[in-house]
Amino acid sequence: MSLTLTIQLSDRDLEHFTKAIEAARVSAEHKSATDVMAAATALLATAQASQLPDFIADRLDQLDTLVAMVEDEGWALPESDAKRVIGALAYFADPKDIIPDHVPVLGFLDDAIAIELCVRELGHEFEAYDDFCEYRQAEAERRGVQPASVGRADWLEGRREELQNRMHRRREREEGQGYGSSSGYGRRSYLKNVWRPSTYVR
């Protein structure tokens, strides 16, 4: 028998989480981008070996997408944008998060909430990357090549530039909003089959 629970976070609850995220970002400033990415990847590996509620599993899948955004050779995220995504990943490099990960069932709940906040902040990045992966898959299939073997092909350049420019324009229009500042083929599930990012909450 399953049990459905609905969790509604108040502004005060969100403030608690956003303060924890910002504190993690500050504490992670001395860490390299490689260390932050490695910590996020390790969290995913640990979580995937656990039995998790769907809510948490779905959000961890979005964390996988964040990692892929930075590692995807074809997406070639500019350094300033990559730093923005890596900054959002800093919370997952902090071993002293709100709920210890070893706690059964709920150990990754705080991580799931932090991911949800990151997704809301990086909504334009998610949307642009999703569109890029969808285009790459369709165009690769049309050309008779495997999408996962494309790399940084010349025929991707125009679409990539268009989507990243759109991402920048939309983000600039919303400057000052949000809770703070801050290879699709690197994604493990992509190595198993052709993939595009999962639907996210806007």
Side-chain angles (χ1 to χ4, degrees):
M1 181 180 71
S2 62
L3 174 65
T4 299
L5 295 177
T6 300
I7 300 175
Q8 181 172 347
L9 299 178
S10 67
D11 288 342
R12 184 177 62 181
D13 297 327
L14 290 175
E15 182 179 2
H16 176 67
F17 273 97
T18 54
K19 284 182 178 179
I21 292 172
E22 291 302 327
R25 284 177 174 174
V26 172
S27 67
E29 286 180 352
H30 68 284
K31 297 181 180 180
S32 68
T34 300
D35 289 340
V36 173
M37 296 291 288
T41 301
L43 172 66
L44 284 167
T46 301
Q48 288 167 354
S50 308
Q51 294 293 326
L52 299 173
D54 290 343
F55 168 83
I56 296 177
D58 290 345
R59 269 62 188 180
L60 287 169
D61 191 58
Q62 292 170 337
L63 175 59
D64 206 357
T65 302
L66 283 171
V67 172
M69 281 185 199
V70 179
E71 296 181 340
D72 190 333
E73 178 186 0
W75 185 227
L77 200 62
E79 183 178 359
S80 60
D81 293 306
K83 286 182 177 180
R84 177 177 166 85
V85 176
I86 292 169
L89 292 171
Y91 179 80
F92 311 103
D94 186 355
K96 298 179 181 179
D97 53 5
I98 296 174
I99 304 175
D101 292 341
H102 63 78
V103 175
V105 182
L106 298 179
F108 295 101
L109 178 59
D110 63 313
D111 298 298
I113 294 172
I115 292 167
E116 182 67 23
L117 293 174
C118 289
V119 170
R120 289 173 182 266
E121 181 183 16
L122 300 173
H124 298 311
E125 282 83 349
F126 268 83
E127 186 174 5
Y129 187 53
D130 187 12
D131 289 348
F132 174 78
C133 289
E134 188 174 83
Y135 171 82
R136 174 170 53 189
Q137 179 174 329
E139 187 64 14
E141 291 175 352
R142 187 183 71 81
R143 293 168 180 263
V145 297
Q146 290 294 325
S149 66
V150 168
R152 193 167 179 175
D154 291 341
W155 50 264
L156 283 174
E157 184 175 350
R159 184 59 172 159
R160 178 179 61 245
E161 183 177 351
E162 176 187 356
L163 289 170
Q164 290 184 356
N165 286 339
R166 186 191 73 184
M167 175 183 76
H168 293 150
R169 288 194 305 270
R170 292 180 177 180
R171 195 171 70 205
E172 287 168 3
R173 284 201 298 266
E174 294 182 358
E175 187 174 2
Q177 297 182 10
Y179 71 83
S181 59
S182 51
S183 99
Y185 301 116
R187 190 174 187 274
R188 281 147 299 285
S189 59
Y190 211 152
L191 297 177
K192 297 177 182 177
N193 47 54
V194 176
W195 162 93
R196 71 182 184 88
S198 58
T199 304
Y200 59 91
V201 179
R202 299 193 183 193

